[in-house]
Amino acid sequence: YVAVAGLALMAVATAFSFITLPVEYDASNRALAWLKNKNMLGQEEYAGAEDSLKWAARTYLVAALGSIATLLYYIMRYMGATRD
């Protein structure tokens, strides 16, 4: 029962990481829009900020994919353990 509860909690955490992906991408887009509207950066600096913020948002995608891979690993471990 403990393993099933752990898998359920990990599944919730994985779902949460995928649900928040659009929020993270939107935050990067809003930050870029703010920087552009306030004329905070020059053209070259803006390009660097845009690249940085886009890659920062992608780290959340990688984390979500890692979370699902870990969840699938533990599901397969559990399924293999129940067959024995």
Side-chain angles (χ1 to χ4, degrees):
Y1 293 115
V2 174
V4 173
L7 286 173
L9 290 173
M10 186 171 272
V12 169
T14 299
F16 180 77
S17 67
F18 276 98
I19 290 169
T20 59
L21 277 176
V23 174
E24 300 302 336
Y25 275 95
D26 185 50
S28 291
N29 290 333
R30 285 187 324 208
L32 286 171
W34 182 81
L35 288 171
K36 194 172 204 172
N37 289 338
K38 299 291 182 183
N39 293 322
M40 299 285 287
L41 304 173
Q43 198 75 348
E44 195 173 303
E45 292 171 320
Y46 181 80
E50 182 178 31
D51 190 45
S52 295
L53 286 169
K54 294 292 181 183
W55 281 108
R58 289 180 186 127
T59 61
Y60 288 93
L61 175 62
V62 172
L65 292 174
S67 180
I68 198 162
T70 303
L71 177 63
L72 291 174
Y73 169 76
Y74 283 119
I75 288 172
M76 289 189 302
R77 292 276 318 242
Y78 176 75
M79 304 267 300
T82 57
R83 278 192 236 151
D84 293 339

